[in-house]
Amino acid sequence: MLALETVVVTLVFLFLLFCLRLYVVLKSGAKYKPGSKGSVSVLVAVGSGGHTTEILRLLGSLSSAYSPRYYVLAQTDRMSEDKIHAFESSREQGDSEFSVFRIPRSREVHQSWSSSVLSTVNALCYSVPLVFRLKPDLILCNGPGTCVPLCLVGLLLGVLGLKQVVLVYVESLCRVQSLSLTGRILYPLTHYFFVQWAALRDKYPKAIFLGRIV
Amino acid sequence: MKTVFVTVGTTSFDELIEAIISPAAVEVLKDRGYERLVLQVGRGTVFPTSKTCSHITLETFRYKDSIAEDIKNAHLIISHAGAGSCLEALSAGKPLLVVVNDKLMNNHQLELAKQLHSDSHLLYCTCSTLTATLRTMNLSILQPFLLGQPQNFANFLDKALGVK
């Protein structure tokens, strides 16, 4: 039984080490200033419909220092790519360094819990090589399920000491009284979490409230 | 022509379409000076034509790539509680009446419509109270809706990330 005990102890040790690393990554990410090196590469998690409109409004306000921009969409999203291209062409000349990637959708609307876990794990498997390759300075997301695997892998990059990634989440304007499911999952796991209505700021003290920003 | 534009987004909202083309509702609209009714019916099964509703100039369609023109040409917008539809109408500065679909469960989109109503940016009713609301509504109490300020987000982030 010695071998089994060794395995269990090792696993517990690794788990505790992981938790410690995660804590360090969350704390240090809030102080990390990637802007001091000049440019900040951004991975943008793109949902569909209103989410796309909102995230492009946010990106529209960011300066050319936020470049290159890596857009990650769900495979089944038909409309967002056109909106992204239109947005990028409207930016100033010389400031259109961007690429578009696709991963499986984490969850369809009304999808059951049990199958959502499976599809999120599937999306995670695609997210790992993508985010590991891109190593963005910043991950920006605003609610669709696509955010979750991307943010988790961003944190993993930090935990493994490969890259410090700042996670920024902006809850949708539609969320006035309650957070979305993605919001509730990512609230403890992001460095900057924005809400757009005062009721949410009161409920979620860690959240940043600047009023309506989209 | 004073126009009312009705939109249900990508949903199906037959009750609203039926309510707005009902003789009582059409009569109220005409009393208030509206002469044209444009219906965007989405996935709905009810598709009124000038044959089914002959008392007012009627135009019906399911979807368009953009409803910006229809919004621009409208004097009153009647919409389901979808955030995209509401925000598009409000950003165009048009008076907006939101009709809540009480058949939809756990409709979190209601949160935004309720908040915008309590901030006096839009009026609010159900299909059963639609005609009464149209009769008594006072559009002058509506407050202009100002778009959000993404620049505040950018300034905050620049500072937090040390971007010059």
Side-chain angles (χ1 to χ4, degrees), chain A residues 49-176:
Chain A
H51 288 290
T52 306
T53 308
E54 290 197 26
I55 206 127
L56 291 179
R57 280 271 293 164
L58 291 170
L59 281 172
S61 68
L62 296 179
S63 73
S64 49
Y66 292 85
S67 190
R69 292 174 288 284
Y70 309 119
Y71 295 91
V72 182
L73 280 60
Q75 262 155 13
T76 50
D77 186 343
R78 297 272 160 266
M79 321 266 269
S80 297
E81 193 159 356
D82 290 338
K83 289 188 190 165
I84 291 168
H85 285 283
F87 166 73
E88 288 288 344
S89 351
S90 73
R91 284 188 79 90
E92 277 170 37
Q93 284 289 18
D95 178 38
S96 254
E97 216 191 317
F98 75 100
S99 0
V100 178
F101 304 91
R102 289 186 182 269
I103 58 172
R105 204 182 268 275
S106 305
R107 179 172 178 260
E108 299 284 347
V109 180
H110 302 313
Q111 189 179 337
S112 76
W113 289 105
S114 45
S115 69
S116 296
V117 173
L118 285 175
S119 47
T120 304
V121 169
N122 184 39
L124 208 62
C125 296
Y126 280 78
S127 306
V128 171
L130 179 62
V131 181
F132 268 57
R133 178 163 54 101
L134 296 175
K135 293 201 178 65
D137 295 314
L138 173 68
I139 294 182
L140 178 63
C141 46
N142 72 341
T146 339
C147 307
V148 175
L150 293 171
C151 286
L152 292 180
V153 180
L155 285 175
L156 186 62
L157 274 176
V159 163
L160 296 176
L162 297 172
K163 173 85 178 78
Q164 208 160 12
V165 181
V166 180
L167 302 185
V168 175
Y169 182 91
V170 180
E171 186 62 286
S172 166
L173 186 65
C174 297
R175 290 304 189 158
V176 181

Side-chain angles (χ1 to χ4, degrees), chain B:
Chain B
M1 266 206 263
K2 240 176 116 180
T3 302
V4 178
F5 176 56
V6 179
T7 172
V8 306
T10 55
T11 67
S12 158
F13 198 359
D14 291 338
E15 293 85 357
L16 169 57
I17 302 300
E18 277 162 354
I20 196 68
I21 60 164
S22 69
V26 171
E27 195 180 318
V28 170
L29 288 180
K30 290 175 80 165
D31 283 344
R32 295 195 72 130
Y34 297 105
E35 299 159 289
R36 189 164 153 254
L37 185 55
V38 179
L39 306 173
Q40 181 266 320
V41 302
R43 285 189 284 125
T45 56
V46 177
F47 197 96
T49 60
S50 42
K51 285 204 186 78
T52 39
C53 176
S54 53
H55 305 288
I56 193 168
T57 307
L58 186 71
E59 188 195 313
T60 308
F61 64 91
R62 289 199 178 277
Y63 302 105
K64 275 185 189 166
D65 280 344
S66 165
I67 52 169
E69 272 300 300
D70 294 286
I71 287 177
K72 192 166 145 228
N73 296 331
H75 299 83
L76 169 67
I77 304 195
I78 300 178
S79 168
H80 74 135
S85 304
C86 290
L87 292 172
E88 214 179 328
L90 290 175
S91 311
K94 299 292 176 174
L96 173 62
L97 168 61
V98 165
V99 183
V100 172
N101 188 350
D102 43 26
K103 300 235 166 46
L104 288 180
M105 288 175 30
N106 288 331
N107 189 0
H108 80 260
Q109 299 241 49
L110 273 185
E111 283 182 23
L112 181 63
K114 276 190 183 144
Q115 181 66 45
L116 293 173
H117 169 68
S118 90
D119 292 342
S120 299
H121 294 304
L122 53 84
L123 298 175
Y124 200 69
C125 70
T126 60
C127 291
S128 42
T129 57
L130 177 62
T131 305
T133 308
L134 288 171
R135 191 178 295 121
T136 58
M137 68 184 180
N138 178 5
L139 299 177
S140 60
I141 57 133
L142 293 179
Q143 299 293 312
F145 178 77
L146 299 168
L147 269 188
Q149 307 278 303
Q151 204 47 51
N152 294 343
F153 169 74
N155 293 343
F156 181 100
L157 208 60
D158 285 348
K159 203 159 156 228
L161 302 184
V163 171
K164 295 165 204 99

Side-chain angles (χ1 to χ4, degrees), chain A residues 36-49:
Chain A
S36 53
K37 60 176 172 63
S39 68
V40 177
S41 62
V42 190
L43 188 151
V44 185
V46 183
S48 33

